[in-house]
Amino acid sequence: MSSMTEYKCPSCGSTLAFDPEKGKLLCDACSNEYDVDAIKAFTKASENEENHERKHFNWSEYKKAKENEKPLEGVNVYVCQSCGASIEADENTVATKCPYCDSNVIMTDKVSGSLTPNAIIPFKIKPNDLPQLIKDYCKGKRLIPKGFFDENKIGRLQGLYVPFWLFDCHADGEAAYMATRVIITRQGRYDCYTTSYYLLEREGDVMFKNIPVDAGMKIDNDLMDSIEPFDFNELEEFEKAYLSGFLAESFDTDPDTEIERASDRMKTTMINSLRQSAMGYNTITQKSGNINIDSADVKYVLLPVYFLNCTYNGQNYRYAINGQTGKIVGELPISKKKCAAYFGAVAAGVFAAVFAVLQFLL
C-alpha cells in the first residue's frame, strides 16, 4: 500500500478542503476554518512527523535516482483513512476523492522527497464565480443560441492542479535586415522619390524567467497555452494542504524534451525584440538571424485550472478556466438560424448599398 494524507478538522474529524476565496482550509461539516500553516503544524504533531530538511524537485538528481529504479506499475493502491476502503489511482494521480466516502485524499508519496514541487499557485477563483464568468465570456457573441444558458446542462466542475515546467534561460542572438527609407520631394510639377538602402545589424541578449510548458500528456498543449498568462509573482512554497478538495496530477513528460517548446517561444520573442529595434524605415526584410539558448534551469510547479463540460442540444462543449485569473477558453455553440439571419442581413445591406450607387450613376 502507498502512503496517503487526509487533512481532517481538529474539531469534528471531517476532511478539510482549501477555499480559494479565504485562502484557508474549511470544514463543510462544522464550518470551522483554519490557516494552512496551522493545519500543517497540527498534522505533523498528530502524526509524530520528524522535522527533516525539506527537499524540492531537482531534475538532474531525479534522473540519476530513476536510472536504477524499476518502472512503476500502472495502478497504485491507497487506503482511505476515513472509511478504510482501497483507492486505486494511476501513477500520475496526486490528489483526488475517495469514491466511497467522498473524503479529500492526497497521495503523499507523489509530492514528497525528491518529488516535492518547487512551488504552487493556489486557486484564486471560486467555483461559484464560474457561471458568471462564462456568461461574461459569451457577451457580445451574437451567434450563440438564445437558450444556451437556460437549456444547457453543466457537468461536474473539476478543479485540477496541472503540472508545469518553468524554464529560466539565457538567450543571445543577432539578426541582419535589409531596409529602405523613401524621401519624397517636390520639383516643379513632379514628385521625386529618393530611396536609400541600408543593411541593419542587431544583436542582444536577455534572461528569460518562468517560461511555462505543461508537463502532463493527458491535456492538450494548445489548450494549456491558451489560458496563459499566469502571474508567477504569486508562486508560493508548495504545501500539500493547498491540494485538499481539488484534483492534482504529477508530471509525465521530460523537461529535457519539453525545453524545445520553451525555446521556440523564447526565440520568437527574441527575434521580435530585435525586429522592433529596427524602426523608422519604410520597408524592413530580415536576411539572416541566429538565436542561442543556454544556461537552462527548470522548476516543477502546480498551476490551477478548472475544467467544465456543458451539454447543449446533444453536443458536449468543454471549457478550460485559469484558476488564478478567470480567463476562459473553449468552443461555443452556433445557432444556425441566427447565422443564416445575420449573414442574410449583411448580404441584404450590401445589395441595398450597391443598388443605391447604381441608381445614382444611372
Side-chain angles (χ1 to χ4, degrees):
M1 294 290 181
S2 302
S3 60
M4 186 175 65
T5 297
E6 294 180 37
Y7 288 94
K8 294 183 177 294
C9 175
S11 298
C12 70
S14 299
T15 57
L16 301 173
F18 180 75
D19 182 83
E21 181 181 20
K22 297 182 178 180
K24 297 182 178 182
L25 289 161
L26 302 186
C27 177
D28 289 335
C30 66
S31 301
N32 280 321
E33 54 189 55
Y34 306 92
D35 291 329
V36 170
D37 290 339
I39 289 297
K40 175 186 172 184
F42 175 82
T43 303
K44 280 189 174 183
S46 63
E47 296 178 356
N48 296 317
E49 292 186 7
E50 298 180 7
N51 290 321
H52 296 294
E53 182 180 354
R54 181 162 190 164
K55 294 182 179 180
H56 286 95
F57 178 82
N58 181 289
W59 177 242
S60 298
E61 294 179 0
Y62 177 78
K63 283 196 298 184
K64 291 179 181 178
K66 292 291 289 183
E67 287 177 357
N68 298 322
E69 285 186 9
K70 295 181 180 180
L72 293 174
E73 297 295 331
V75 175
N76 295 330
V77 180
Y78 300 81
V79 175
C80 178
Q81 297 173 7
S82 295
C83 68
S86 296
I87 302 174
E88 293 187 353
D90 66 36
E91 58 184 308
N92 298 118
T93 300
V94 171
T96 186
K97 287 182 176 289
C98 174
Y100 302 97
C101 67
D102 208 37
S103 294
N104 302 314
V105 297
I106 300 167
M107 287 54 181
T108 309
D109 55 320
K110 300 298 179 60
V111 284
S112 60
S114 62
L115 287 176
T116 303
N118 300 105
I120 187 172
I121 294 181
F123 275 89
K124 305 292 183 182
I125 302 298
K126 299 179 298 180
N128 292 339
D129 294 335
L130 295 179
Q132 185 59 47
L133 285 174
I134 293 178
K135 288 183 180 181
D136 292 341
Y137 169 68
C138 296
K139 283 182 179 178
K141 298 176 173 63
R142 300 180 179 180
L143 302 183
I144 298 175
K146 183 178 180 181
F148 178 59
F149 286 109
D150 297 331
E151 299 174 14
N152 74 46
K153 296 181 180 178
I154 298 180
R156 185 174 182 180
L157 178 70
Q158 291 186 336
L160 174 67
Y161 281 103
V162 178
F164 271 79
W165 304 120
L166 293 187
F167 292 97
D168 296 345
C169 298
H170 172 263
D172 64 81
E174 57 186 12
Y177 306 90
M178 291 300 299
T180 63
R181 182 177 288 153
V182 180
I183 298 176
I184 304 175
T185 57
R186 186 74 175 180
Q187 295 184 8
R189 297 170 54 190
Y190 301 98
D191 291 330
C192 295
Y193 293 79
T194 303
T195 302
S196 300
Y197 295 86
Y198 302 88
L199 173 62
L200 308 178
E201 295 181 339
R202 297 291 187 268
E203 62 180 25
D205 67 288
V206 65
M207 186 67 193
F208 289 93
K209 291 186 68 65
N210 295 329
I211 304 301
V213 175
D214 65 283
M217 293 178 17
K218 296 179 182 178
I219 304 173
D220 183 77
N221 292 335
D222 292 336
L223 188 65
M224 290 297 93
D225 291 345
S226 298
I227 64 170
E228 294 180 21
F230 289 90
D231 182 1
F232 294 114
N233 291 320
E234 294 187 348
L235 280 170
E236 298 187 17
E237 184 176 10
F238 175 78
E239 294 292 349
K240 296 192 297 291
Y242 289 125
L243 307 182
S244 188
F246 295 95
L247 305 181
E249 293 193 349
S250 63
F251 64 89
D252 57 2
T253 65
D254 184 336
D256 290 342
T257 301
E258 296 302 319
I259 194 175
E260 293 298 326
R261 289 177 56 203
S263 295
D264 288 342
R265 299 176 67 171
M266 288 182 275
K267 289 178 180 180
T268 299
T269 300
M270 190 72 178
I271 285 293
N272 290 339
S273 297
L274 294 175
R275 171 65 177 79
Q276 290 173 6
S277 70
M279 304 296 289
Y281 298 89
N282 294 94
T283 64
I284 299 177
T285 304
Q286 182 173 332
K287 304 300 292 183
S288 64
N290 182 46
I291 306 296
N292 299 308
I293 306 292
D294 56 31
S295 303
D297 186 30
V298 62
K299 296 187 291 291
Y300 165 41
V301 302
L302 297 179
L303 303 182
V305 181
Y306 283 110
F307 292 94
L308 185 65
N309 291 323
C310 293
T311 302
Y312 176 79
N313 219 14
Q315 185 172 348
N316 186 54
Y317 297 88
R318 192 183 191 199
Y319 301 93
I321 305 163
N322 187 313
Q324 180 193 36
T325 66
K327 180 181 179 181
I328 301 175
V329 294
E331 182 185 3
L332 290 169
I334 296 177
S335 169
K336 294 181 180 179
K337 291 182 179 180
K338 283 190 175 184
C339 189
Y342 176 78
F343 288 106
V346 171
V350 171
F351 177 79
V354 172
F355 182 76
V357 171
L358 290 175
Q359 288 291 98
F360 175 78
L361 293 176
L362 296 174

Short mmCIF file of all heavy atoms in Angstrom, two decimals, residues 285-314:
data_model
loop_
_atom_site.label_atom_id
_atom_site.label_comp_id
_atom_site.label_asym_id
_atom_site.label_seq_id
_atom_site.Cartn_x
_atom_site.Cartn_y
_atom_site.Cartn_z
N THR A 285 13.30 43.90 -44.30
CA THR A 285 13.27 42.48 -44.64
C THR A 285 14.43 41.78 -43.95
O THR A 285 15.58 42.19 -44.10
CB THR A 285 13.38 42.27 -46.16
OG1 THR A 285 12.34 42.99 -46.82
CG2 THR A 285 13.27 40.79 -46.51
N GLN A 286 14.10 40.74 -43.18
CA GLN A 286 15.16 40.02 -42.48
C GLN A 286 15.93 39.15 -43.46
O GLN A 286 15.36 38.40 -44.24
CB GLN A 286 14.58 39.15 -41.36
CG GLN A 286 15.65 38.42 -40.56
CD GLN A 286 15.09 37.68 -39.35
OE1 GLN A 286 14.07 38.08 -38.80
NE2 GLN A 286 15.76 36.60 -38.95
N LYS A 287 17.25 39.25 -43.40
CA LYS A 287 18.11 38.46 -44.28
C LYS A 287 18.74 37.28 -43.56
O LYS A 287 18.98 36.23 -44.16
CB LYS A 287 19.22 39.36 -44.86
CG LYS A 287 18.70 40.59 -45.58
CD LYS A 287 17.81 40.24 -46.76
CE LYS A 287 18.59 39.57 -47.88
NZ LYS A 287 17.73 39.29 -49.05
N SER A 288 19.00 37.43 -42.27
CA SER A 288 19.60 36.33 -41.51
C SER A 288 19.31 36.53 -40.03
O SER A 288 18.92 37.62 -39.59
CB SER A 288 21.11 36.26 -41.75
OG SER A 288 21.75 37.44 -41.26
N GLY A 289 19.50 35.48 -39.27
CA GLY A 289 19.28 35.58 -37.83
C GLY A 289 19.73 34.31 -37.13
O GLY A 289 19.65 33.21 -37.70
N ASN A 290 20.21 34.46 -35.91
CA ASN A 290 20.66 33.31 -35.14
C ASN A 290 20.43 33.58 -33.67
O ASN A 290 20.88 34.60 -33.12
CB ASN A 290 22.15 33.05 -35.41
CG ASN A 290 22.64 31.82 -34.67
OD1 ASN A 290 21.99 30.78 -34.68
ND2 ASN A 290 23.78 31.95 -34.00
N ILE A 291 19.69 32.68 -33.01
CA ILE A 291 19.38 32.82 -31.59
C ILE A 291 19.91 31.59 -30.87
O ILE A 291 19.66 30.45 -31.28
CB ILE A 291 17.87 32.95 -31.35
CG1 ILE A 291 17.28 34.10 -32.18
CG2 ILE A 291 17.58 33.16 -29.87
CD1 ILE A 291 17.81 35.46 -31.82
N ASN A 292 20.62 31.81 -29.76
CA ASN A 292 21.16 30.72 -28.95
C ASN A 292 20.50 30.74 -27.57
O ASN A 292 20.36 31.80 -26.96
CB ASN A 292 22.67 30.86 -28.79
CG ASN A 292 23.40 30.80 -30.12
OD1 ASN A 292 23.20 29.87 -30.90
ND2 ASN A 292 24.24 31.79 -30.38
N ILE A 293 20.12 29.57 -27.10
CA ILE A 293 19.52 29.42 -25.76
C ILE A 293 20.47 28.57 -24.92
O ILE A 293 20.88 27.49 -25.33
CB ILE A 293 18.15 28.72 -25.82
CG1 ILE A 293 17.21 29.46 -26.80
CG2 ILE A 293 17.54 28.63 -24.44
CD1 ILE A 293 16.79 30.83 -26.34
N ASP A 294 20.83 29.08 -23.73
CA ASP A 294 21.70 28.30 -22.86
C ASP A 294 21.38 28.59 -21.39
O ASP A 294 20.45 29.34 -21.07
CB ASP A 294 23.17 28.58 -23.17
CG ASP A 294 23.52 30.06 -23.07
OD1 ASP A 294 22.88 30.77 -22.26
OD2 ASP A 294 24.41 30.52 -23.81
N SER A 295 22.16 27.99 -20.52
CA SER A 295 22.02 28.17 -19.06
C SER A 295 20.59 27.87 -18.60
O SER A 295 20.01 28.64 -17.82
CB SER A 295 22.42 29.60 -18.66
OG SER A 295 23.73 29.89 -19.06
N ALA A 296 20.04 26.77 -19.06
CA ALA A 296 18.65 26.44 -18.73
C ALA A 296 18.54 25.90 -17.30
O ALA A 296 19.32 25.05 -16.88
CB ALA A 296 18.10 25.42 -19.72
N ASP A 297 17.56 26.40 -16.58
CA ASP A 297 17.21 25.89 -15.26
C ASP A 297 15.71 25.61 -15.28
O ASP A 297 14.94 26.35 -15.90
CB ASP A 297 17.56 26.92 -14.19
CG ASP A 297 17.34 26.37 -12.79
OD1 ASP A 297 17.47 25.15 -12.62
OD2 ASP A 297 17.01 27.16 -11.88
N VAL A 298 15.28 24.55 -14.60
CA VAL A 298 13.88 24.17 -14.65
C VAL A 298 13.32 23.98 -13.26
O VAL A 298 14.00 23.47 -12.36
CB VAL A 298 13.69 22.87 -15.49
CG1 VAL A 298 14.42 21.71 -14.87
CG2 VAL A 298 12.21 22.55 -15.67
N LYS A 299 12.07 24.42 -13.08
CA LYS A 299 11.34 24.20 -11.84
C LYS A 299 10.07 23.42 -12.16
O LYS A 299 9.49 23.55 -13.24
CB LYS A 299 10.96 25.55 -11.18
CG LYS A 299 12.14 26.37 -10.74
CD LYS A 299 11.71 27.60 -9.95
CE LYS A 299 11.00 28.63 -10.81
NZ LYS A 299 11.88 29.29 -11.76
N TYR A 300 9.64 22.64 -11.18
CA TYR A 300 8.41 21.84 -11.29
C TYR A 300 7.36 22.49 -10.39
O TYR A 300 7.55 22.60 -9.18
CB TYR A 300 8.72 20.40 -10.86
CG TYR A 300 7.53 19.53 -10.56
CD1 TYR A 300 6.37 19.55 -11.34
CD2 TYR A 300 7.58 18.61 -9.50
CE1 TYR A 300 5.29 18.73 -11.05
CE2 TYR A 300 6.52 17.78 -9.21
CZ TYR A 300 5.37 17.83 -9.99
OH TYR A 300 4.31 17.01 -9.71
N VAL A 301 6.26 22.95 -11.01
CA VAL A 301 5.23 23.66 -10.26
C VAL A 301 3.85 23.10 -10.60
O VAL A 301 3.66 22.44 -11.63
CB VAL A 301 5.25 25.18 -10.55
CG1 VAL A 301 6.62 25.77 -10.22
CG2 VAL A 301 4.87 25.47 -12.00
N LEU A 302 2.88 23.38 -9.74
CA LEU A 302 1.49 23.02 -9.98
C LEU A 302 0.69 24.31 -10.14
O LEU A 302 0.77 25.21 -9.30
CB LEU A 302 0.94 22.19 -8.82
CG LEU A 302 1.60 20.84 -8.57
CD1 LEU A 302 0.96 20.13 -7.38
CD2 LEU A 302 1.52 19.94 -9.81
N LEU A 303 -0.10 24.38 -11.22
CA LEU A 303 -0.88 25.58 -11.53
C LEU A 303 -2.37 25.24 -11.58
O LEU A 303 -2.75 24.16 -12.05
CB LEU A 303 -0.43 26.19 -12.86
CG LEU A 303 1.06 26.56 -12.95
CD1 LEU A 303 1.36 27.21 -14.30
CD2 LEU A 303 1.47 27.50 -11.82
N PRO A 304 -3.24 26.17 -11.15
CA PRO A 304 -4.68 25.86 -11.00
C PRO A 304 -5.48 26.05 -12.29
O PRO A 304 -5.43 27.11 -12.92
CB PRO A 304 -5.13 26.88 -9.94
CG PRO A 304 -4.24 28.07 -10.20
CD PRO A 304 -2.91 27.52 -10.64
N VAL A 305 -6.23 25.02 -12.65
CA VAL A 305 -7.08 25.08 -13.85
C VAL A 305 -8.42 24.41 -13.54
O VAL A 305 -8.45 23.32 -12.95
CB VAL A 305 -6.42 24.37 -15.06
CG1 VAL A 305 -7.32 24.49 -16.30
CG2 VAL A 305 -5.05 24.95 -15.35
N TYR A 306 -9.51 25.07 -13.91
CA TYR A 306 -10.84 24.45 -13.84
C TYR A 306 -11.19 23.88 -15.21
O TYR A 306 -10.88 24.47 -16.25
CB TYR A 306 -11.91 25.48 -13.47
CG TYR A 306 -11.95 25.87 -12.02
CD1 TYR A 306 -11.55 27.15 -11.63
CD2 TYR A 306 -12.42 24.99 -11.04
CE1 TYR A 306 -11.59 27.54 -10.30
CE2 TYR A 306 -12.47 25.38 -9.71
CZ TYR A 306 -12.06 26.64 -9.34
OH TYR A 306 -12.11 27.02 -8.02
N PHE A 307 -11.87 22.75 -15.20
CA PHE A 307 -12.42 22.18 -16.43
C PHE A 307 -13.92 22.03 -16.24
O PHE A 307 -14.40 21.55 -15.20
CB PHE A 307 -11.78 20.82 -16.73
CG PHE A 307 -10.34 20.91 -17.10
CD1 PHE A 307 -9.35 20.75 -16.13
CD2 PHE A 307 -9.94 21.19 -18.39
CE1 PHE A 307 -8.02 20.85 -16.45
CE2 PHE A 307 -8.61 21.30 -18.72
CZ PHE A 307 -7.64 21.12 -17.75
N LEU A 308 -14.66 22.47 -17.25
CA LEU A 308 -16.12 22.48 -17.16
C LEU A 308 -16.70 21.96 -18.46
O LEU A 308 -16.34 22.41 -19.55
CB LEU A 308 -16.60 23.91 -16.90
CG LEU A 308 -18.09 24.11 -16.66
CD1 LEU A 308 -18.52 23.43 -15.37
CD2 LEU A 308 -18.42 25.60 -16.59
N ASN A 309 -17.60 20.99 -18.35
CA ASN A 309 -18.29 20.45 -19.52
C ASN A 309 -19.73 20.95 -19.55
O ASN A 309 -20.42 20.89 -18.53
CB ASN A 309 -18.28 18.92 -19.49
CG ASN A 309 -16.89 18.36 -19.71
OD1 ASN A 309 -16.12 18.90 -20.49
ND2 ASN A 309 -16.57 17.29 -19.00
N CYS A 310 -20.17 21.43 -20.70
CA CYS A 310 -21.55 21.87 -20.88
C CYS A 310 -22.17 21.06 -22.03
O CYS A 310 -21.57 20.94 -23.09
CB CYS A 310 -21.62 23.35 -21.20
SG CYS A 310 -21.10 24.43 -19.86
N THR A 311 -23.35 20.54 -21.79
CA THR A 311 -24.06 19.78 -22.81
C THR A 311 -25.21 20.61 -23.34
O THR A 311 -26.04 21.10 -22.58
CB THR A 311 -24.60 18.46 -22.24
OG1 THR A 311 -23.50 17.70 -21.73
CG2 THR A 311 -25.30 17.65 -23.32
N TYR A 312 -25.25 20.79 -24.66
CA TYR A 312 -26.33 21.55 -25.28
C TYR A 312 -26.73 20.87 -26.59
O TYR A 312 -25.89 20.60 -27.45
CB TYR A 312 -25.90 22.99 -25.55
CG TYR A 312 -26.95 23.81 -26.28
CD1 TYR A 312 -28.03 24.35 -25.60
CD2 TYR A 312 -26.86 24.01 -27.66
CE1 TYR A 312 -29.00 25.08 -26.26
CE2 TYR A 312 -27.83 24.75 -28.33
CZ TYR A 312 -28.89 25.27 -27.62
OH TYR A 312 -29.85 25.99 -28.28
N ASN A 313 -28.00 20.59 -26.72
CA ASN A 313 -28.53 20.02 -27.95
C ASN A 313 -27.82 18.71 -28.32
O ASN A 313 -27.55 18.43 -29.48
CB ASN A 313 -28.37 21.03 -29.10
CG ASN A 313 -29.57 21.01 -30.04
OD1 ASN A 313 -30.62 20.46 -29.72
ND2 ASN A 313 -29.41 21.62 -31.19
N GLY A 314 -27.48 17.93 -27.28
CA GLY A 314 -26.84 16.64 -27.52
C GLY A 314 -25.35 16.71 -27.78
O GLY A 314 -24.73 15.68 -28.03
#
